[in-house]
Each structure stands twice: as C-alpha cells, then as structure tokens.
Amino acid sequence: MPASLFDIWLGILQGLGTTVTVTLYGLMFAVPFALVFGIAQFLTHGVARLLVTSVIEFWRSSAVIILLFVFYYALPVVGITLSAMTVSAMVLGLNAGGYASQAVRAGLQALPSGQREAGAALGLSRAAILVLIELPQALVAMSPTFVNTLIQLVKATALVSLVTLTDMTFRAKEIAQVEYNPVAIYTALLLAFFVVCYPIALAGRWLEARIAAPGSRSHGI
Amino acid sequence: MNHEKSGQGMNTQSDCIVDIQGLNKWFGALHVLNDVDLTVASGARVVVCGPSGSGKSTLIRCINGLESYQRGTLCLAGTTLGLNARETAAARRLTGMVFQSFNLFPHLTVLSNCTLALRRVAGKSHREAQDIAMAHLEKVRIPEKAGSYPGQLSGGQQQRVAIARALCLNPRIMLFDEPTSALDPEMIKEVLDVMVALARDGMTMVCVTHEMGFAREVADQVVFMDGGRILDRAPARDFFGASGHPRSRLFLETILKH
Amino acid sequence: MGFDLAFALSSVPTILGAVGTTLCVAFVSCIGAAAIGFFFEMVRRAGGIAGLTVGFVIDFIRSTPVLAWLYFLYFVLPFYGIRLGSMTVGVMGLSLYYSGYLAEVFKAGIDAIPKGQSEAARALSLSRRHAVIYVIAPQMLRNIAAPLGNYFVSILKATPYLAVLAVPEMLGRAFDIASETYRYTEPLVVAGLIFLVLALAISNGVKRLERRLLAVGSR
Ligand SMILES: Nc1ncnc2c1ncn2[C@@H]1O[C@H](COP(=O)(O)OP(=O)(O)OP(=O)(O)O)[C@@H](O)[C@H]1O
Ligand SMILES: [Mg+2]
C-alpha cells in the first residue's frame, strides 16, 4: 500500500531531531563567534583589525557547502577526528556566526557617538560603556537580522544529509529509495522545513515591527 | 438649487476656475474637511492659512485630484473631479503643483525635470520641450543650472526649479503647499519673489503659506482653516485689519510673534 | 598522509577550468531570480488575492532550503515527464529560490523612494506607466544595484549545491578528481579557495559600486 503524504511527512519528521540538534549545537558556535568577532572588529584598528576581518571573511565569504566537505574530509587527514555532528555544527555555526558578526559590528557602529561620550562623561570605563550602553542597544536594533541568520542556519542544516547525518533531508532521500512518489516526498520535505522556519520568520517580523518606527512610505505601483 | 448650480458651472467656466461646495473628506474616522466652500475666480490669488493638521494640504491636494473626497462637489474648470477618471486627469492637466519638499526627481537634471511632462504628457518634441523649459527656468532666474542635478542645488534653487517645472505645462492655476516652510530663512525671499512675479503676471494661485508679508502683498483673499473648517475668509486688507474672526486673530498673533 | 601541495597544485587547472561554468550558472540564475522576483513583487504590490498568494509563496520559498528545492525540481519534473538537463534544473532551482529574496530587494528599493516622487509625477499628469518608467524605475535601479550585487555573490556561493545534481561546476570537478585519486582534501581545498577569492573579489567590486552610487546620490 503506498504511503500517504501524511505518512511520508511523519517519516521525514523523524529527522527533525537531528535538524534541531545541529541547529542548537551550531548556535553554540555562532553566538560566541558573532559577539567576540563583531565586537573585536568594532574595537580594533590596523593589523589587529585586519586579522579579525580575515577570520570573519573566511567563515562568511566561503561557500558553506565546500567548507563542510573540506572539514569533513580534511580534519582526519591532519589527525583530528571529530564526529560528523561536531564538524557540521562547527562549520554551519561559524558560517552563520560570520554573518551575525557583521550585524553586531554594524549595530555598534550605527550608534550615535553621543552614547559613548555620555557614558564617558559619567565616568564609566570603556568596557562598562560597551557592556552597559552600547551592546544592549546594538543587539536590540539588530535582533531581526539575528532571526534571519537563525533561519539561514536551520535551512543550511539540510547540508548535513551530505555528510551522512540522518536529518529531515536525509530521511526524504531514504524514503525515496523505497517509495516512488517524488511529488509527495519532496513536497513533504519542503513543508517540514516550512513549519520549522515560518514561525521563526513571523517572530522576527513581529520583533522588527516592534523595534522599527512605523514608516509612512508606500507607493501605488 | 441643482439647476442653479449647474447653470453657474457653465457660464462661469471662463472666470471661475475652482468651485468647491460642501466638500467633506474623512481619513478613516478622522473628519479632515468639514463642509468646505471655496471659489477661486480666474486671476484670483487665495492664501490659505491655519494651524498644523487643520486640513490645508488636504484641501489643496483635493483641488488637483491627488486626494479624493467623499461628499460635496469640487469643480475644476467646469469638470467635477472624481466622477470620471479620464475627465479628472484632463482637468488636472490645467493645474501646476509645488510641494513643501520640492519633490524634484533626483536622477534627472534640472532641464529634464522640466521637460519630462512636456515630452510625455504634452507630446512636445525634444527641441520644443527644451525651449519651453529654458524659458521658464529663465523666468525663475536659474537658467544656468539647467544641466545640474537637484542634489547640487540649494533648497531655494530647488524650489524655484519646482515652480518652473510646474509652469511648463502652462497651467491655468498654480497650487502651492507651504512652498517656503522647508527653506532656510535666507532662501525664502528668492522663492517668494518668483511667486510675487507670477502673481503680477496674472496667474491664478491657491497658496498654503504662513508668510503673511506675501499674503498682504499679493492675496486678494485670505482663508483661515481650523479643524477641517473654513472659519474665516476675508479680503487681505480686512483679514489683517481689526475686524477678523477672533480665532484667526489669535492665530495671527502667534505666528507674527516670530 | 598530510596535505600534498604538489597534488593540490596539479588539480588547480582542472578545477579552474570550471570557473566559466560556475560564473555562467550564477549569472543566468541571478537574471532568472531577478526576473521572477520582480514579477513576484509587482503582483504582491498590486494586492488582492493574487498579491496575498504571491506574498505567501515568497514567505514559503524563504522558509525552505535551496537543497530541498533542487531535489524537488530534479525528481519531480521527470515524474511529470519533463526531462531537462541537470544544469537547466539547477539554474531553475537557484532562480526560484533566490527570487524570494530578490522580491524583497525590489520591495525595499521601491519603498525607499520618497512618496513625494510618485505624487509629483501624478501632479505633472504623467501616466502610471510613464511614472514607473521615468521616475520610479530609475531610482529603484540605483537603490537595488548594491543588494543585487551582493545576491549575485550569494548565488555564486550556492552554485556548488549543483554538484549534488552532477553539474560539472567547480565542486563537481573537485569530486571527480577526488574519486579518481581517493584524495579528497586537496581538490576540495583548492575549490574552496577559488570560491573564496571569487566571492571576495566580487564583493569588493560591489562595495566600490555602492560607494560610487552614494557619491552620485549626493551630487
Ligand atoms: N494620508 C493620510 N492618512 C490619514 N490621515 C491623514 C493623511 N494625510 C493627512 N492626514 C491627517 O489629516 C489631518 C489634516 O492633514 P493636513 O496635512 O491636511 O493638515 P495641514 O493643515 O496641511 O497641516 P500642516 O500645517 O502640518 O501641513 C491631519 O490630522 C493629518 O494627520
Ligand atoms: Mg500641510
């Protein structure tokens, strides 16, 4: 008896655990990387800044699918053996972290310099100004961008199916081997990601509407 | 009543450009225009003033059909606006509008700003359009900037270009919505001078402005609005005299203080 | 075993040979994505049921991975008897996926034009069509040039996904070498570096373009 779209969907959702796990582990790399390197890029000058920027650009500007393969195949060659899960979380997380670091830096740079001067006038140290005044504002302003990066991260986890992890995409391909019903299988796969990502997108939109002042621009075209 | 009005519309077409009767407009629940009556004869110069949010911009934008209205009639050169899209568009062609924020097209040169409508609306040739545009740029005393982009001009210069642009289609009535209130004080005069010259040439004008010196000099009627109503209307001499409406006197006192 | 530099260098010409294919795929996909994205945005802007539907389609595309779209097209089209080359399917997939993003680029590019511009066009009696052609579109193009360039880089970096459909772009070539020699590291590193250099070079060009457009805007 051929499986229904719903059966197939349930079969694919068996991979949801892996998708979520890779995402969460990925965040453990992404969040610290974004904060540390975003702030470092904001604070440093000259050679130090060049170094920071190079690291960020390596993770951000590389093609993530190639990064994943490179680390998956190359690390054992140089004697480092990590699980596919760890490699995936690290590569996808640092890639997302590279994007988010630019939001952190841009958010900090966008603050009017009066904020820092007001903090200094109150006698706060540079570190205190950063933590108490600048970061809270920058992070709030940039939170919609972080939500978008999170969605990108969730979607990028589809790649781990290529390094043998049993995520939703991998499950879809497994089911495709026993069931010739590509329409149902790949529609179900798209739907599975949609039900994960769309609520996050809606939350991001809600955040954005709360943060942004309502604009009065519209065009009748 | 009806008969009388339509008869009036016919035979006053030549000397009455704008005829507004019982005009009402709402933005959602907000009653922005409340039973407004206003006629503007050919060659008349009407100044509209009043506090912020009183509906001045909305009124002037109704006159060229940028805003629609819900009740009453608005005749522009014999055409009732809002009944028929084609007729409304044809009537709008008889108006020129100048905005508070200039609204020049930043990607076009001063000359192209002026020739755009001549070419695309009036169907003039490239050559003809340029000649007409240059004539109007000379009238507003800025022909030397024809090749510049709006971003390269001062506010006063931009507003003069905007006036020239509006004049190019040879309108029968010019509408100004606070043309000088986005300008630095030293640039206000150059724009007002152009407007005064325009008035001297006999152009019909409806002008929302708080420049009372200008009103005194050129207006033959001053209209005072508040809360979507016309509270006071008087010949300029009376409006600035002692006999005005108490509410408009109060308003005059506050704006003349600075 | 370690990293064999000589072997890595020997794989460079083969992989570089696919740069043309990669750029071509990225370019055509970008144009396709822009065309679909512009169409989407125009329909969404017009509102109504069609507008709401397209708005939802855009959200749907943005909530799903490009890999899933590639599999979808690759396996579903033949099911309906539509047999296309893997390169064509890949370009279609990238175009469709990125159209959801480019629709947003067009939206932002139009929304950033002050409302007074279309009002001035109306006050000058320009028709809707003329207002779009002579007033709105030129300003929109200037607003979208830089984001469009950045999405071109994104699309470029997504072309190696087509390796899963066996399109002979750079990652595909690298895997060909790897499966012949059983050495994965070197060709993959070479492919990765070439992508990195390409992406950085184009991003840099986009940044310059952005600066020039800004300078033009304030002239
Ligand atoms: N498009 C709109 N949608 C909703 N409300 C509007 C709109 N345009 C204007 N209003 C409201 O209508 C009222 C009248 O606005 P209008 O712009 O005509 O006032 P105004 O007299 O020109 O004021 P100002 O001197 O500030 O320009 C205001 O309360 C304004 O908030
Ligand atoms: Mg106003």
Side-chain angles (χ1 to χ4, degrees):
Chain A
M1 195 184 79
S4 70
L5 176 65
F6 187 68
D7 294 332
I8 291 172
W9 198 57
L10 287 182
I12 285 174
L13 282 184
Q14 287 170 7
L16 179 63
T18 304
T19 300
V20 171
T21 311
V22 177
T23 305
L24 291 180
Y25 284 162
L27 283 177
M28 289 175 165
F29 287 92
V31 174
F33 183 90
L35 285 176
V36 170
F37 280 81
I39 293 171
Q41 206 182 21
F42 173 64
L43 291 178
T44 52
H45 303 279
V47 182
R49 185 176 169 142
L50 199 67
L51 279 173
V52 172
T53 306
S54 307
V55 176
I56 292 174
E57 286 304 322
F58 172 75
W59 286 108
R60 193 177 77 104
S61 290
S62 290
V64 62
I65 175 172
I66 299 190
L67 275 184
L68 183 60
F69 282 129
V70 165
F71 279 86
Y72 183 70
Y73 286 109
L75 284 181
V77 174
V78 294
I80 305 171
T81 33
L82 298 172
S83 69
M85 175 66 85
T86 313
V87 173
S88 301
M90 180 186 80
V91 169
L92 301 182
L94 292 180
N95 180 246
Y99 282 105
S101 73
Q102 296 309 284
V104 171
R105 184 202 37 119
L108 287 169
Q109 281 176 344
L111 290 179
S113 62
Q115 291 296 313
R116 196 171 77 205
E117 284 157 13
L122 291 173
L124 295 176
S125 70
R126 186 72 191 90
I129 293 171
L130 185 70
V131 173
L132 297 176
I133 297 174
E134 292 177 302
L135 268 182
Q137 297 185 60
L139 294 184
V140 166
M142 286 295 138
S143 52
T145 313
F146 298 139
V147 174
N148 277 334
T149 310
L150 172 62
I151 296 172
Q152 297 299 341
L153 176 59
V154 176
K155 293 197 293 177
T157 62
L159 278 175
V160 303
S161 63
L162 302 176
V163 292
T164 69
L165 290 181
T166 322
D167 78 320
M168 299 198 290
T169 317
F170 195 89
R171 284 292 301 147
K173 302 215 71 181
E174 276 183 343
I175 296 169
Q177 282 171 5
V178 291
E179 195 80 45
Y180 182 63
N181 190 354
V183 181
I185 293 171
Y186 292 103
T187 304
L189 177 61
L190 289 170
L191 281 174
F193 272 101
F194 178 72
V195 298
V196 177
C197 293
Y198 193 55
I200 307 177
L202 289 181
R205 221 168 276 171
W206 176 81
L207 252 181
E208 195 165 15
R210 278 205 41 179
I211 292 165
S216 61
R217 288 169 158 183
S218 71
H219 276 268
I221 73 156
Chain B
M1 171 72 194
N2 245 341
H3 172 78
E4 188 187 284
K5 215 159 88 184
S6 60
Q8 195 185 27
M10 291 308 285
N11 61 31
T12 55
Q13 196 170 347
S14 54
D15 61 327
C16 182
I17 295 187
V18 178
D19 184 9
I20 300 173
Q21 305 286 340
L23 191 70
N24 279 273
K25 177 172 179 67
W26 286 264
F27 280 122
L30 187 68
H31 201 166
V32 218
L33 294 178
N34 191 344
D35 277 331
V36 170
D37 299 319
L38 183 71
T39 53
V40 181
S42 182
R45 293 167 306 265
V46 178
V47 161
V48 181
C49 62
S52 180
S54 55
K56 309 177 299 286
S57 298
T58 309
L59 174 63
I60 205 168
R61 289 157 58 86
C62 280
I63 296 177
N64 71 348
L66 277 185
E67 299 283 0
S68 59
Y69 55 91
Q70 280 94 33
R71 217 167 66 204
T73 56
L74 196 163
C75 281
L76 178 60
T79 306
T80 304
L81 295 190
L83 293 183
N84 171 309
R86 185 176 291 267
E87 283 180 9
T88 304
R92 177 185 292 149
R93 221 160 286 177
L94 305 173
T95 69
M97 178 137 185
V98 176
F99 300 86
Q100 178 175 357
S101 50
F102 328 138
N103 292 351
L104 293 178
F105 305 132
H107 60 296
L108 299 178
T109 61
V110 163
L111 188 60
S112 303
N113 261 279
C114 295
T115 55
L116 181 61
L118 283 169
R119 307 243 11 232
R120 305 299 155 196
V121 179
K124 302 275 191 222
S125 74
H126 182 65
R127 220 12 224 286
E128 247 181 314
Q130 285 204 339
D131 291 346
I132 296 173
M134 281 311 295
H136 286 293
L137 287 173
E138 261 154 44
K139 210 184 263 176
V140 301
R141 297 195 294 271
I142 201 163
E144 72 281 3
K145 296 287 185 189
S148 306
Y149 285 86
Q152 296 168 313
L153 306 186
S154 72
Q157 292 173 322
Q158 289 193 47
Q159 194 60 299
R160 284 187 282 146
V161 171
I163 294 173
R165 178 175 77 174
L167 287 172
C168 276
L169 283 183
N170 202 15
R172 288 185 55 197
I173 178 170
M174 284 287 286
L175 309 170
F176 294 85
D177 189 2
E178 305 205 32
T180 57
S181 52
L183 297 177
D184 292 336
E186 69 270 22
M187 295 170 188
I188 291 179
K189 188 174 177 305
E190 65 186 61
V191 171
L192 289 180
D193 284 350
V194 166
M195 292 168 62
V196 169
L198 207 55
R200 296 260 152 82
D201 285 352
M203 175 60 78
T204 313
M205 297 165 60
V206 177
C207 185
V208 177
T209 185
H210 292 155
E211 291 295 331
M212 287 304 140
F214 170 80
R216 233 184 232 123
E217 193 172 344
V218 307
D220 32 40
Q221 189 178 189
V222 181
V223 168
F224 175 76
M225 290 185 74
D226 194 10
R229 287 175 188 278
I230 294 185
L231 287 191
D232 191 13
R233 71 181 87 213
R237 185 182 307 124
D238 298 349
F239 188 83
F240 295 106
S243 62
H245 189 282
R247 182 68 187 82
S248 50
R249 293 219 52 78
L250 190 67
F251 175 74
L252 270 183
E253 275 162 26
T254 48
I255 62 168
L256 290 181
K257 251 178 224 154
H258 36 246
Chain C
M1 215 155 75
F3 188 87
D4 184 344
L5 188 61
F7 174 57
L9 288 176
S10 75
S11 72
V12 169
T14 317
I15 296 174
L16 262 187
V19 163
T21 310
T22 294
L23 285 173
C24 233
V25 165
F27 191 71
V28 176
S29 303
C30 191
I31 290 180
I36 305 172
F38 186 73
F39 171 75
F40 276 174
E41 178 52 21
M42 287 300 117
V43 176
R44 178 165 62 174
R45 210 159 259 279
I49 297 198
L52 285 176
T53 312
V54 164
F56 182 76
V57 169
I58 293 172
D59 283 350
F60 188 85
I61 291 175
R62 289 164 60 93
S63 300
T64 41
V66 62
L67 193 60
W69 281 104
L70 289 173
Y71 285 142
F72 182 88
L73 293 177
Y74 192 69
F75 293 111
V76 167
L77 289 180
F79 184 79
Y80 289 112
I82 306 168
R83 303 205 166 272
L84 301 169
S86 58
M87 180 102 79
T88 313
V89 172
V91 168
M92 282 171 63
L94 291 181
S95 299
L96 187 64
Y97 178 76
Y98 280 99
S99 71
Y101 291 86
L102 291 191
E104 297 293 316
V105 169
F106 286 113
K107 176 176 156 47
I110 295 171
D111 287 349
I113 304 170
K115 213 175 145 201
Q117 291 291 309
S118 47
E119 278 184 356
R122 271 173 77 201
L124 287 172
S125 293
L126 289 174
S127 67
R128 231 174 87 112
R129 195 169 65 90
H130 281 150
V132 170
I133 296 175
Y134 297 106
V135 177
I136 303 300
Q139 299 189 53
M140 178 193 76
L141 284 180
R142 206 171 72 185
N143 292 342
I144 64 165
L148 198 61
N150 288 329
Y151 271 109
F152 176 72
V153 176
S154 297
I155 294 173
L156 181 78
K157 288 192 291 179
T159 55
Y161 278 95
L162 303 201
V164 301
L165 311 184
V167 173
E169 48 64 69
M170 289 201 284
L171 181 61
R173 287 283 179 86
F175 268 117
D176 288 345
I177 297 172
S179 55
E180 276 164 27
T181 59
Y182 298 103
R183 296 192 64 111
Y184 283 86
T185 312
E186 291 83 356
L188 285 174
V189 167
V190 167
L193 283 177
I194 296 174
F195 265 107
L196 186 56
V197 169
L198 276 179
L200 287 175
I202 299 173
S203 300
N204 204 12
V206 172
K207 241 175 244 157
R208 272 204 219 145
L209 172 81
E210 200 169 8
R211 238 174 274 143
R212 266 193 38 196
L213 285 176
L214 274 180
V216 170
S218 60
R219 73 185 168 183

